[in-house]
């Protein structure tokens, strides 16, 4: 008699995935950005990315890291990329895409031609991202959202009640307004995700 017992104790979400009890059969490692999301497991991932004019100096490094993240996804996973500046969000696809080699290739071509311009307004992009009901959503911006900070947090609380999506947030290099870290950290904490300030030093590594 060994006395080992039958309980594995890991749970369906995978050890340390931060995704609770959700059934993620068919999921795989999240395509992490600068280590954010590492260890999380998901079937579907949406990347909501800032393409405002202030991103210009380092935008090519964001494009490269995003393509690396998408490239790491497994065929049975699903993804989408949504860009925001001012006005309507720019979605890679109106629905989640299977992470096939062909879909990744088309995504890379679309990512390469995005040019940063305009002001920062993520509301439409976050809305559309949560409408896709992903397991994990990444939100990346280079600052806070001015007078929309509270409105955005309220909208996320309403649309992601029950924390159906884990939201990871990244403050990208700058924080000219000063509140970006605070706002993005709060969004991540309220939605079971991870916050990171990716600095110029991180980009040089």
């Amino acid at each position: 008699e060994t006395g080992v017992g039958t309980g594995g104790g890991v749970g369906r979400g995978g050890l340390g995935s931060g995704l609770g009890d959700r059934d993620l059969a068919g999921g795989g490692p999240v395509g992490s950005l600068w280590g954010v999301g590492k260890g999380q497991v998901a079937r579907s991932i949406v990347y909501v990315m800032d393409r405002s004019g202030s991103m210009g100096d380092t935008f090519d490094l964001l494009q490269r890291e995003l393509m690396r993240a998408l490239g790491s996804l497994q065929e049975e996973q699903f993804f989408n990329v949504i860009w925001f500046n001012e006005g309507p969000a720019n979605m890679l696809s109106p629905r989640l895409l299977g992470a096939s080699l062909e879909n990744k290739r088309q995504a890379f071509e679309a990512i390469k031609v995005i040019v940063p311009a305009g002001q920062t307004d993520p509301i439409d992009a976050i809305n559309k991202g949560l409408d896709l009901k992903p397991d994990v959503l990444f939100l990346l911006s280079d600052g806070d959202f001015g007078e929309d900070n509270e409105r955005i947090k309220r909208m996320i609380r309403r649309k992601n009640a029950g924390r159906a999506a884990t939201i990871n947030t990244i403050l990208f290099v700058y924080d000219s307004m000063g509140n970006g870290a605070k706002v993005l950290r709060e969004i991540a904490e309220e939605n079971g995700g991870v916050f990171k300030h990716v600095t110029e030093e991180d980009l040089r590594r």
Side-chain angles (χ1 to χ4, degrees):
E1 193 182 338
T2 62
V4 170
T6 56
V10 172
R12 287 180 298 171
L15 193 57
S17 71
L19 293 170
D21 277 342
R22 208 162 330 142
D23 184 358
L24 292 171
V30 169
S32 63
L33 298 172
W34 294 285
V36 175
K38 196 166 186 232
Q40 293 177 346
V41 177
R43 259 197 311 244
S44 53
I45 307 103
V46 171
Y47 299 86
V48 177
M49 304 279 113
D50 192 339
R51 56 164 296 188
S52 59
S54 55
M55 301 280 291
D57 291 350
T58 47
F59 197 71
D60 59 325
L61 298 171
L62 168 57
Q63 289 165 305
R64 196 184 317 158
E65 181 72 0
L66 181 57
M67 288 190 282
R68 188 201 58 70
L70 295 182
S72 74
L73 297 178
Q74 298 170 3
E75 284 218 354
E76 63 270 19
Q77 290 175 288
F78 295 86
F79 72 95
N80 207 332
V81 179
I82 306 176
W83 298 98
F84 65 87
N85 47 12
E86 55 197 75
N90 175 334
M91 297 180 78
L92 186 62
S93 162
R95 62 190 64 85
L96 290 166
L97 296 164
S100 65
L101 286 175
E102 179 57 22
N103 283 343
K104 288 180 188 177
R105 190 188 64 73
Q106 290 183 12
F108 293 168
E109 294 309 311
I111 289 166
K112 285 175 192 168
V113 299
I114 294 285
V115 176
Q119 302 299 309
T120 306
D121 179 5
I123 288 177
D124 187 50
I126 296 169
N127 236 327
K128 285 176 172 161
L130 290 173
D131 281 343
L132 294 171
K133 306 217 171 334
D135 295 322
V136 172
L137 183 143
F138 284 85
L139 172 61
L140 177 146
S141 183
D142 68 344
D144 73 342
F145 311 119
E147 43 199 53
D148 283 329
N149 283 340
E150 292 306 317
R151 186 176 159 209
I152 287 164
K153 285 192 286 184
R154 279 198 306 272
M155 180 197 76
I156 292 172
R157 284 182 200 124
R158 190 180 69 249
K159 288 207 79 150
N160 199 35
R163 303 208 303 200
T166 295
I167 301 180
N168 297 322
T169 59
I170 295 170
L171 176 63
F172 192 64
V173 187
Y174 308 112
D175 184 10
S176 51
M177 301 290 286
N179 279 322
K182 180 172 179 287
V183 170
L184 291 168
R185 183 181 279 111
E186 284 175 8
I187 290 170
E189 285 174 355
E190 287 185 11
N191 295 277
V194 176
F195 163 79
K196 179 172 182 173
H197 183 181
V198 172
T199 64
E200 290 194 58
E201 265 175 46
D202 291 317
L203 298 182
R204 282 197 289 268
R205 280 176 197 149

